[in-house]
Amino acid sequence: MTKILTSGITRRSLIKTTATAALVGAVKTAFPSGAFAAAAGPEVKGVKLGYIALTDAAPLIIAKEKGLFEKYGLPEVDVAKQASWGATRDNLVLGGASNGIDGAHILTPMPYLMHTGKVTQNNKPVPMAILARLNLDSQGISVAKEYADTGVQLDASKLKAAFEKKKAEGKEIKAAMTFPGGTHDLWIRYWLAAGGIDPNKDVSTIVVPPPQMVANMKVGNMDVFCVGEPWNEQLVNQGIGFTATTTGELWKGHPEKALGLRADWVEKNPNAAKALLMAVMEAQQWADSMANKEEMADILGKRQWFNVPPKDVLGRLKGDINYGNGRDVKGTSLFMKFWRNHASFPFKSHDSWFLAENIRWGYLPADTDIKALVNQVNREDIWRNAAKDLGVAAADIPASSSRGKETFFDGKVFDPENPSAYLDSLSIKAAS
């Protein structure tokens, strides 16, 4: 059973089916002219963007700090901190013209959940567009100190006996994530289920905003959580808990956050959308350089951005991981990728996996047409145009299907051409 502490959305409202006709009508309204049409320059001087205090928001923050938005003709871009993913959703529903935001650093599945009305008031669809992926890898699953003796790492089954003992004592097991159906929810569910722990029956999943994870673990409000950096590293630095595994160990090179915008803003301002994307893509290239990691940690740590010690950001940015359980490794390949390995390109196959997992856990109906939905929201066409104008070599602009099948740590394989086979292979899932 999922408990939501901050966003005010019940699981029941999440899985309520929205009429297909309403969604199709909304999509037609959002994209009446179809594909991106080039013109001389941005239609507006700026855009209102939101971000959560997570390291993977770096491309937006660096673009702002380094004057890249101005460079591409957008001198009035506002990058505003959001209190939670629920607040991000609510401000996107409002839109920039109504004192909300037009786009955001966002959990990749959220634009789809908004687009279908699964997480919006009265289940009203808010057409959305994904323009880019912001990063790969470097989230973490961290555990309270009381479970250190279990030796739990990648294999979550080592927690089963401890969880069962605690439940037998009448205590609740709480697994925290950041938004129902979002990436952190899906990572922790996958990890628990692979270890034979049913996230719907054996634990209570709760929603906690990323910057509040460490404080809540400190006072014993949760047993395990999944969140992005710098919060796993801060937990270890404060001696409150330990990281069992990073998400790159679940799925090496996995997609994470996205640059998502209201579809009506993109349609109204196609040249501004491309200019915005070019600034973000240049920031991703800067952020990807190891030579820039220390400066980036200093920038992100500033009070107006994350308000944390730069050391809480820096280690895992470089692939140096102190898990807090006796493991301390340097120079791993598990650092966050912003540009290399096609990190910026919004692969449709990746979006298909996120939708399949949302079907698995009941956030989307079983009859969801994954391919059609991805084609409505994923705007890789804009990314390609921006890449060409940015001078990205043709060889570095991938094909949608070039990632192909994906293999996870437990041997499960996801074929984007056959999501049903993947879903059928999973033994633990929500009741249909």
Side-chain angles (χ1 to χ4, degrees), residues 334-382:
L334 297 170
F335 59 86
M336 189 173 289
K337 291 85 175 170
F338 296 98
W339 185 256
R340 72 190 69 196
N341 303 336
H342 301 309
S344 177
F345 186 75
F347 286 97
K348 291 185 176 183
S349 59
H350 285 166
D351 287 3
S352 296
W353 180 82
F354 285 118
L355 296 185
E357 282 290 304
N358 269 275
I359 292 171
R360 175 186 185 181
W361 300 115
Y363 295 126
L364 288 172
D367 61 354
T368 297
D369 187 333
I370 291 177
K371 187 173 184 178
L373 184 53
V374 169
N375 285 336
Q376 289 169 12
V377 175
N378 185 299
R379 296 303 308 273
E380 65 168 40
D381 58 313
I382 301 178

Side-chain angles (χ1 to χ4, degrees), residues 60-282:
L60 301 190
I61 295 168
I62 295 302
K64 181 70 175 177
E65 288 266 346
K66 296 291 183 180
L68 298 178
F69 294 127
E70 290 89 340
K71 176 179 177 179
Y72 291 99
L74 297 170
E76 298 176 7
V77 172
D78 182 24
V79 181
K81 185 182 292 186
Q82 308 295 298
S84 66
W85 292 117
T88 301
R89 172 208 58 214
D90 294 344
N91 283 322
L92 280 167
V93 171
L94 284 173
S98 300
N99 296 318
I101 56 178
D102 303 298
H105 149 252
I106 198 165
L107 299 165
T108 288
M110 279 183 67
Y112 289 98
L113 295 171
M114 293 179 65
H115 190 85
T116 53
K118 301 304 178 193
V119 296
T120 54
Q121 190 172 9
N122 299 320
N123 300 117
K124 182 180 179 181
V126 177
M128 295 291 295
I130 286 178
L131 271 59
R133 201 81 60 213
L134 291 180
N135 69 297
L136 307 178
D137 288 337
S138 200
Q139 314 298 293
I141 297 175
S142 291
V143 184
K145 213 169 186 178
E146 66 179 282
Y147 298 102
D149 290 345
T150 66
V152 63
Q153 296 182 16
L154 188 56
D155 180 7
S157 69
K158 292 185 177 182
L159 288 173
K160 283 191 74 171
F163 281 1
E164 289 168 359
K165 182 177 182 293
K166 192 168 183 177
K167 288 185 73 175
E169 295 169 353
K171 298 174 183 177
E172 191 175 14
I173 306 297
K174 295 179 181 178
M177 43 74 176
T178 61
F179 192 85
T183 57
H184 302 125
D185 185 23
L186 302 182
W187 303 135
I188 199 167
R189 286 174 177 273
Y190 194 103
W191 179 68
L192 289 170
I197 299 170
D198 191 328
N200 284 341
K201 298 175 181 177
D202 300 331
V203 303
S204 296
T205 52
I206 61 174
V207 174
V208 176
Q212 297 177 24
M213 286 290 188
V214 176
N216 275 273
M217 182 75 89
K218 187 174 183 178
V219 297
N221 283 346
M222 62 185 73
D223 298 88
V224 57
F225 67 63
C226 182
V227 73
E229 298 305 335
W231 308 112
N232 298 282
E233 185 153 4
Q234 184 179 90
L235 181 86
V236 171
N237 287 344
Q238 294 187 10
I240 297 167
F242 63 95
T243 296
T245 186
T246 69
T247 50
E249 294 168 81
L250 302 183
W251 172 9
K252 189 173 178 59
H254 73 76
E256 184 52 37
K257 304 299 188 299
L259 175 62
L261 285 99
R262 287 179 57 105
D264 56 3
W265 190 91
V266 174
E267 176 62 24
K268 186 178 179 180
N269 306 292
N271 303 305
K274 184 172 75 167
L276 169 67
L277 184 50
M278 290 172 70
V280 170
M281 290 164 75
E282 184 169 332

